[in-house]
Structure formats: C-alpha cells, structure tokens
Amino acid sequence: MITKHIISGLTMGTTYNITCMIDSSFDAEDLERGIKRCLKRINSSMSTFDSKSEISLFNAKNDIDPILISKDFFAVLTQAEYVSKISNGAWDGTLKPVIDFWGFGPKDKPRELPSENDIS
C-alpha cells in the first residue's frame, strides 16, 4: 500500500516541507532521519549564519594556505566556478558583501534603506 508521508522542519534560516509517496514496506522514519542528517551536514558546511561552518571559516581566511574541505563543499565550489564560466562571469558567487549590505546575511538587519551613495 502506498501512503503519503510529509517531512517538515527548520533549517538554514527557513522551513522545509517534503511530501512523498511511500510504499508501506519502506521505513518512512528512516527516510526522515536520513533527510534531517543530510540537511544538518549541509547546514554545518554551508551556512553563513554559523560562524563555525566550512563556508564561514573559508570566507574568514585572509591567507592563501590550503585548507581541507568536505566533498559537499568542494562540489558546490566546483559547480559555482562552472556556472561563472559558462555565464561569462554574469553569475558571481562572491556576493556576501552585497547580501550583508541588504540585510539578508547573518549580520543585523539595517533599520532603514541605504542611501543612493551607499548603493553606488
């Protein structure tokens, strides 16, 4: 028998809802635990809201010494480089200053819109 199963939670500063149809012989709770483990691993690697995440440590580096990174983070960096190349640089992954400027990053949200001068 096929049943509908909904998996919901919080991660990366937002919510998620996954709806799937599962055969009764399949362990839905095991699927849910696996999804939550995967999201936790990705969040601990790529959350700019977590100062200890891989991406936060990577962004905070101010030297050129190599660092060990996870397979997930390497895959994202590789894909980002590819998208930048095929778009002739139209996509730029170095948006953190812009994200923080507009209040979408981990810093405090601005209380008012930035001035035209600041935007320029």
Side-chain angles (χ1 to χ4, degrees):
M1 174 197 258
I2 305 285
T3 59
K4 182 163 98 172
H5 190 72
I6 299 172
I7 302 167
S8 301
L10 301 170
T11 189
M12 301 174 208
T14 191
T15 61
Y16 67 91
N17 294 291
I18 300 168
T19 303
C20 49
M21 304 305 288
I22 299 176
D23 184 274
S24 60
S25 65
F26 193 81
D27 186 348
E29 289 179 10
D30 190 43
L31 173 64
E32 185 167 349
R33 282 190 299 274
I35 288 169
K36 289 183 178 186
R37 265 193 318 271
C38 180
L39 290 172
K40 185 176 180 180
R41 185 184 78 240
I42 291 169
N43 192 55
S44 70
S45 176
M46 295 177 231
S47 171
T48 58
F49 292 88
D50 178 355
S51 63
K52 294 180 180 166
S53 72
E54 270 187 288
I55 196 166
S56 292
L57 297 173
F58 180 84
N59 286 337
K61 280 187 62 60
N62 47 0
D63 60 45
I64 60 169
D65 294 336
I67 59 170
L68 186 63
I69 60 173
S70 68
K71 290 179 183 180
D72 289 333
F73 191 47
F74 179 76
V76 168
L77 289 175
T78 301
Q79 190 66 28
E81 180 181 33
Y82 172 73
V83 171
S84 182
K85 282 182 182 177
I86 65 168
S87 69
N88 293 319
W91 184 86
D92 183 351
T94 59
L95 288 174
K96 184 174 181 344
V98 174
I99 290 167
D100 288 344
F101 178 79
W102 284 103
F104 295 109
K107 294 183 178 179
D108 288 339
K109 308 291 182 239
R111 294 185 179 261
E112 56 190 45
L113 288 175
S115 70
E116 289 293 325
N117 189 46
D118 287 341
I119 292 170
S120 295

